[in-house]
Amino acid sequence: MKSSPVRLPDLTRRSFARTNAQTIAQRVVLLREFAPKAKAISEICCGDYSRQHQAYAVELGVQVVRGLDLEPAIVATNREKGIECHLGNALDVNAMRRFICDDVIFFGPPLSEDCDGHRLVDFDQVVPGYADFSKLLFGELSYDGLLICICPNSTNLGDITKLYREIRAIRSDINLRLVHKSYSTLTGNAEITEPRLKYVELWFSSKLDDLWEVREDGMEE
C-alpha cells in the first residue's frame, strides 16, 4: 500500500499530550465493558505510551501492551521505560503484521499540523488517514479484533458515515458500536481548564453490534 505523508513532532519543543488521567480513565471503563477479556492491546502512532501502558497493564491486567511509532526517539524513550514499542509506519503491512492477533488496536495519528495540539487538522487532513489504515488492517491483514480510531474533535457525522461506508465496502461484517466523545477538564500536564472535547473515538468491530451509540464522557469532571 502506498504510504501517506507523515507528521513528525519537533522534539526540541514541548510536545502536546493528547491523553491525560481523565481520558485514560474513560478508556479503561469502556474497555472493561466492550473488551473485558482482552489480553493484548496496541496503539499505532502511540507517542509517549507510559500512561496507557500503566492503565492497561495495572488496572485491566492486560498481558501485552505495546505500541508502534515512526519517530526513533519516541520509540527509544518508551523502551527505556520498559514498554514494548516498535519502529515503523502505520501503513507498512510488514510493520503491522505483528499486531493482527491483538484483541484491541488503537489508531492515534497526529491530530495537529505540528504534533503540538495547536494547529488542529480536520478529519480528512489527518495522516496517515483513517480509511487507508482501516483498509490495510481489515482488508489486507483480515484483522478481526476491535479497532478504535482516535479522531479530531471536529469530526462530524459526515466524516463518520464516509469512513463507515469505506470500511463496509471492504468488510461488510465490520460494525460501528460506539462513537465516544472524550471531554477533559485537565491538560496533559494536569492543569485545570474548562471542559473541552479532546477527541472523538470510533469503535469498530465484527464482534459488537452496529449501534452507532454516542456517549459523552468528562463533562461532569
Side-chain angles (χ1 to χ4, degrees):
M1 177 174 289
K2 183 179 179 181
S3 296
S4 299
V6 296
R7 295 186 175 94
L8 294 175
D10 180 351
L11 298 176
T12 66
R13 301 171 58 187
R14 183 178 181 183
S15 62
F16 171 73
R18 179 175 55 224
T19 56
N20 59 38
Q22 289 176 318
T23 57
I24 293 298
Q26 294 168 16
R27 207 179 271 180
V28 165
V29 170
L30 293 174
L31 286 169
R32 283 198 181 108
E33 179 178 354
F34 295 114
K37 297 181 180 179
K39 292 180 170 55
I41 296 179
S42 301
E43 184 160 336
I44 309 305
C45 307
C46 61
D48 180 352
Y49 200 40
S50 52
R51 286 191 177 102
Q52 296 96 312
H53 185 273
Q54 173 75 10
Y56 304 155
V58 175
E59 297 183 46
L60 295 176
V62 176
Q63 298 170 7
V64 177
V65 183
R66 55 188 176 178
L68 178 81
D69 204 277
L70 193 60
E71 174 53 59
I74 288 175
V75 173
T77 298
N78 282 325
R79 289 176 175 174
E80 288 170 2
K81 297 175 181 178
I83 299 169
E84 180 183 347
C85 190
H86 299 272
L87 180 67
N89 190 317
L91 299 185
D92 182 341
V93 65
N94 292 319
M96 284 301 305
R97 207 178 296 279
R98 64 166 51 89
F99 299 101
I100 61 172
C101 291
D102 292 355
D103 303 290
V104 180
I105 293 179
F106 285 89
F107 177 51
L111 303 183
S112 59
E113 191 67 37
D114 299 318
C115 304
D116 60 2
H118 297 300
R119 290 198 294 158
L120 300 178
V121 297
D122 293 331
F123 183 91
D124 59 1
Q125 296 174 316
V126 173
V127 290
Y130 300 101
D132 288 341
F133 182 76
S134 299
K135 289 174 184 176
L136 171 66
L137 195 65
F138 288 128
E140 191 166 351
L141 291 173
S142 301
Y143 180 63
D144 201 33
L146 172 60
L147 170 64
I148 301 159
C149 294
I150 305 171
C151 305
N153 57 16
S154 60
T155 299
N156 57 44
L157 181 59
D159 298 324
I160 297 169
T161 302
K162 181 181 179 182
L163 178 60
Y164 173 82
R165 288 174 176 170
E166 289 171 328
I167 292 175
R168 276 290 186 114
I170 302 165
R171 289 269 303 276
S172 60
D173 62 323
I174 302 299
N175 298 324
L176 176 56
R177 175 60 181 85
L178 180 69
V179 178
H180 175 229
K181 297 185 177 182
S182 178
Y183 286 83
S184 177
T185 56
L186 292 177
T187 68
N189 299 294
E191 300 160 335
I192 298 176
T193 70
E194 74 286 351
R196 57 203 174 106
L197 181 59
K198 293 278 281 184
Y199 51 77
V200 177
E201 292 176 349
L202 306 179
W203 292 52
F204 290 101
S205 172
S206 64
K207 298 180 176 67
L208 299 174
D209 293 334
D210 198 39
L211 297 183
W212 291 57
E213 179 187 358
V214 178
R215 294 192 192 180
E216 295 186 348
D217 286 326
M219 293 293 289
E220 73 287 350
E221 300 285 351

